[in-house]
Amino acid sequence: MGPRRENRKSGGQDGPTISLVLLLSEPRFLDEKSLAKLVEKAWDLPMNSAQKPENSVAGKSPLLTIHAEGRAFVVQNVDAPYFDEPQKAAGEMRELRLRKVVGEHRAWLSVEYAGSDKRELAGKIYQLIGKLIAE
């Protein structure tokens, strides 16, 4: 297997992993400071501040963590293809646009839900992850 993480349960909870992966045409720079700014914008939350010290971003690419509003997320920013054999994976795609993206990507970014101190609905978590990846 390539640089991907092994499939496991999010946050040790029952059910499938909650995550989204963005395939990229080229690697992106991402550090604690830039990710914190993206989180602030996407989720309208102060990060790494005196007013909300429990909201923070830590780590270094390729692996960063987000703690916000009692939730934890793991962000992977990898400068290698997601698939071990991108062209082979692309050949298995029926949809032409997806085949092109899979075959031509050179890097990937994922945001995975790692848990919460309260019960969360998957739809809400996907909404948060989607907003962050869109940024």
Side-chain angles (χ1 to χ4, degrees), residues 20-59:
L20 291 176
V21 176
L22 181 63
L23 301 180
L24 304 167
S25 59
E26 60 186 40
R28 293 196 181 159
F29 175 78
L30 192 62
D31 64 2
E32 288 180 21
K33 188 174 181 178
S34 60
L35 181 56
K37 286 181 181 180
L38 294 170
V39 170
E40 286 179 347
K41 188 174 179 183
W43 298 344
D44 194 28
L45 293 174
M47 298 298 291
N48 295 338
S49 70
Q51 64 191 129
K52 286 284 195 170
E54 68 276 11
N55 291 350
S56 64
V57 173

Side-chain angles (χ1 to χ4, degrees), residues 3-135:
R4 287 168 285 156
R5 293 170 6 126
E6 293 296 319
N7 190 13
R8 61 179 175 73
K9 307 289 186 201
S10 285
Q13 298 179 11
D14 293 334
T17 299
I18 299 174
S19 66
L20 291 176
V21 176
L22 181 63
L23 301 180
L24 304 167
S25 59
E26 60 186 40
R28 293 196 181 159
F29 175 78
L30 192 62
D31 64 2
E32 288 180 21
K33 188 174 181 178
S34 60
L35 181 56
K37 286 181 181 180
L38 294 170
V39 170
E40 286 179 347
K41 188 174 179 183
W43 298 344
D44 194 28
L45 293 174
M47 298 298 291
N48 295 338
S49 70
Q51 64 191 129
K52 286 284 195 170
E54 68 276 11
N55 291 350
S56 64
V57 173
K60 180 178 169 185
S61 276
L63 192 64
L64 298 108
T65 58
I66 302 168
H67 293 278
E69 303 290 298
R71 299 178 185 102
F73 297 86
V74 175
V75 177
Q76 292 185 86
N77 184 39
V78 179
D79 63 355
Y82 184 78
F83 298 96
D84 291 334
E85 298 178 46
Q87 293 302 322
K88 182 179 178 185
E92 297 172 5
M93 304 290 161
R94 297 177 106 187
E95 206 273 310
L96 186 58
R97 289 176 292 184
L98 183 58
R99 184 180 312 148
K100 181 175 171 46
V101 169
V102 169
E104 295 177 1
H105 82 283
R106 300 290 171 257
W108 58 277
L109 181 135
S110 72
V111 179
E112 178 182 338
Y113 175 63
S116 176
D117 57 5
K118 57 187 174 259
R119 189 148 177 84
E120 299 280 358
L121 296 175
K124 174 65 175 174
I125 299 303
Y126 276 118
Q127 182 183 40
L128 290 169
I129 293 172
K131 285 181 178 181
L132 181 57
I133 281 188
E135 288 298 329

